[in-house]
Amino acid sequence: MPLSPATASLTGKTALVTGSTSGIGLAIAETLASAGANLLLNGFGPAGEIEALRSRLAETYGVEVAYDGADMSDAAAIEGMVAGAKARFGGIDILVNNAGIQHVAPLEDFPADRWDAIVAINLSACFHTTRLVVADMKAKGWGRILNVASVHGLVGSIHKSAYVAAKHGVIGLTKVTALETATSGVTCNAICPGWVLTPLVQKQVDAKAAEQDLSQEEAKRQLVCERMPSERFVSQEEVGGVALFLCSPAADNMTGVSLPVDGAWLAQ
Ligand code: NAD
């Protein structure tokens, strides 16, 4: 039988997507729900908006959707969230480590507290969630761990020391997780997007527009064209589709990979 990622069914599976109240995480969560997965949402935002999001996803896709606002810089909160997910859903089948923050500054001015926060949220949280779910996944004989890294997990850019270091770390963790689960039915891969227009990147567009006295459109065009030969942002839905592919049977023997979704950024 041909293996079609388009018809991948995740019915009966539960996905925890960290940082899924916004941007890429929300798009991945919605794509997984559209394939039948129950969801545990996580991330920050106004309580009313998060509840509206939770109920919209549940009603639209006919899946169970829960929310836990655990701060991903807090290992004890992560432990509580995973324990809650086990009690409510019986376990986590798909873990998407997506929560992330950015801070842009030259090394000599980089605030130490921003370094610590970026490493905690973008890297250490991936370790904590993984260590807490991997034994159950191995015991079940199926699991998917998707780490949303970045092109900055594979190359550097100025003024992003903490982010680039954390994302390179995520790719290292992805490889070790893949090796330790290689015979178990569990896979672990990193997705490495180029620019995606989310609130995280909008801040960088705003900074560029202000610094260089550019219009929003010109700041966006320059940001993208400096790095991406495709000359357009990657869409959130495109990243969602790649995540679903990695959860499909076609990707059963794909593990330890860092997959760029970057309009040829890294081909240069
Ligand atoms: P975003 O700002 O739209 O979303 C970030 C999400 O993480 C939000 O839900 C936010 O509430 C959550 N979050 C932040 N701090 C948290 C914390 N301490 N605890 C729990 N949740 C927290 O950003 P995005 O662009 O969608 O980024 C998502 C991921 O994609 C990040 O890991 C980012 O590094 C990565 N990424 C983004 C781009 C891009 O161009 N936007 C490119 C490559 C990789």
Side-chain angles (χ1 to χ4, degrees), residues 10-18 20 32 37-42 64 66-68 70 72 77-98 125-147 181 184-187 247:
L10 300 177
T11 302
K13 310 272 193 224
T14 297
L16 163 58
V17 186
T18 70
S20 45
L32 299 180
N38 297 319
L39 294 177
L40 178 56
L41 301 174
N42 159 263
E64 254 198 86
Y67 166 73
D68 188 310
M72 299 306 288
I78 295 171
E79 286 173 10
M81 174 173 70
V82 172
K86 287 183 186 177
R88 167 138 189 194
F89 294 105
I92 290 163
D93 306 287
I94 300 166
L95 167 65
V96 184
N97 286 312
N98 167 80
C126 305
F127 160 68
H128 292 301
T129 52
T130 300
R131 76 179 165 82
L132 293 165
V133 304
V134 73
D136 286 353
M137 286 182 176
K138 286 199 279 191
K140 274 193 191 169
W142 195 91
R144 290 286 186 270
I145 301 174
L146 310 184
N147 292 326
T181 55
S184 69
V186 177
T187 67
C247 293

Side-chain angles (χ1 to χ4, degrees), residues 19 21-22 24 44 71-72 98 121 149 163 167 193-194 196 198-199 201:
T21 52
S22 168
I24 293 171
F44 298 150
D71 182 337
M72 299 306 288
N98 167 80
I121 296 164
Y163 188 85
K167 294 298 188 183
V196 185
T198 65
V201 164

